[in-house]
Amino acid sequence: MLYLNVIKSIELKIFIKKTTVMFLLTLRQGIIAYSIVLLLSEAIRIIESSSVLYIHGNSESDEISPSFLAKLNNITIPIGRDISFTCVVDNLGQYRVAWIKSDSKAILGIHTHMVSLNPRFSVTHNGHNTWKLHISRVQLNDSGSYMCQVNTDPMKSLSGYLDVVVPPDILNQPEHNPQEGVSTEGGSVSLVCSATGVPKPRVQWRREAGKEIILRAESRDKQVLKSVEGERLVLTNVHRTDMGGYNCIASNGIPPSVSKRFDVYVNFSPTIKAINQLVGAPVEREVTLECIVEVYPKPLNGWYRNEENIKLHNGNKYNISEEMINLYTWHLNLTIRRLTKSDFGTYSCSSVNGQGKSEARIRLQELRLPPKPTTTPLPHVHTTVKPHRKQPPGHNKGLNEVVRAKETHFLNQMQQENSIHSGGIGVLQSASSDNSGSASRANYGAALESGNVNDGMINGAEAFLIHKLTTLS
């Protein structure tokens, strides 16, 4: 620019000199010609003065050059926060500071005046050497390079980068079908979890309650995993044990991580089993029959009296209840109060759903207890102390052994009598074919521990045993 001004001044002087010569040749005499020459000479002097001043002024300004005292920082910030870039310039002089978005070449502000119409952008100056560009509630499209520029020749600038990050989010699929998580046993289930965020989130699948994920192949091979990576989880050859909650977890290092629950359901027909197929109980007592059923979806459960094929209902005689153990397992109970002889027989627990039906039978038999005899006091026996004599080998057994033999004999007799009356189900029923007294006593103790014998029964049995022993004595 300076060079062009000098050239133009020189050309103007040449043009004026040529014009003067022409006027002098044309008008060799006269005051008019002299006046024109004076005017042109004065114009040349003014132009030459201006050119010298211009050149001298620019040389003085170049002697003081602006400089940056600190770098422009790179900033990483979550979306929605406020940030500011700081530019420190020394010896700015007559120059100006401008803020520019590098990728779009858009001028945001000059010195303390805003050029951008975006209300979230503003500039400030501390009155000394610091200028700031403020961005409030940053958006994703605010990411990019920003420049602090001083309009020297050549131009001076610093750049800083704004990286706007976004925490992960799991999208709700509008076309999501709830039935995608439902299959019949042996089928397949596919779950999709789409996540967004900057940077792109990592997606991981886990089962609830720390359960393991089972991935089965077409063969019998299977993988047992604590977690599975990827947005899609495919379960093939599903089993009822695969039912439950599966959590999709998305994270990208920007808190917070997010998760979404997916439920998997497996439909199958009922499988029912009686806890005890044969149950014994005495009359006038209460007894509970139990069944366990595995089934999904929720079944209709019931109890029946098989002789008359009558469905039983809650009331004074029966109490029917069921408890859900997990998503597909139920515990069924039938309690019969104040047993009579007509209550003994066959019962069945039943379960039915849209996949099929199943039932299990239970035989309820009467448990006959021995009668409670009247206790007879033992007679008082007078004994005379005799001198101790050494008995030869093979002599009569000691008293203790005789008593134990008699006790064993009558315990076995009680067992046989009770077995005859109760059809094989008795309180003192032997656990093996061993007829020894120790086996009988063990079975008697087992009956006591099982709760099938009350205190009255125990006292009656003891009295009966003492009475028999006394009689033999």
Side-chain angles (χ1 to χ4, degrees), residues 154-189:
M155 175 266 294
K156 293 183 178 182
S157 66
L158 286 178
S159 293
Y161 196 85
L162 173 62
D163 186 16
V164 180
V165 294
V166 181
D169 187 25
I170 297 175
L171 300 177
N172 291 322
Q173 300 291 341
E175 67 280 3
H176 175 69
N177 183 2
Q179 294 300 315
E180 289 179 0
V182 180
S183 174
T184 56
E185 202 162 37
S188 62
V189 171

Side-chain angles (χ1 to χ4, degrees), residues 90-132:
D90 197 19
N91 301 324
L92 184 63
Q94 62 181 348
Y95 296 100
R96 294 292 181 264
V97 172
W99 291 97
I100 298 171
K101 182 78 180 296
S102 300
D103 53 0
S104 62
K105 307 299 182 183
I107 300 175
L108 303 175
I110 299 176
H111 209 60
T112 58
H113 303 287
M114 283 303 301
V115 176
S116 172
L117 299 179
N118 192 330
R120 295 186 297 105
F121 288 75
S122 62
V123 291
T124 59
H125 177 224
N126 68 346
H128 180 47
N129 62 358
T130 304
W131 284 262
K132 288 190 176 184

Side-chain angles (χ1 to χ4, degrees), residues 66-111:
S67 61
F68 296 105
L69 300 184
K71 292 182 178 180
L72 217 60
N73 292 330
N74 295 325
I75 299 174
T76 299
I77 192 168
I79 191 171
R81 302 285 184 86
D82 298 342
I83 64 99
S84 62
F85 286 103
T86 301
C87 187
V88 182
V89 185
D90 197 19
N91 301 324
L92 184 63
Q94 62 181 348
Y95 296 100
R96 294 292 181 264
V97 172
W99 291 97
I100 298 171
K101 182 78 180 296
S102 300
D103 53 0
S104 62
K105 307 299 182 183
I107 300 175
L108 303 175
I110 299 176
H111 209 60

Side-chain angles (χ1 to χ4, degrees), residues 155 348-349:
M155 175 266 294
S348 66
C349 49

Side-chain angles (χ1 to χ4, degrees), residues 389-397:
R389 289 187 301 172
K390 185 177 181 180
Q391 298 293 339
H395 196 70
N396 294 334
K397 299 179 180 179

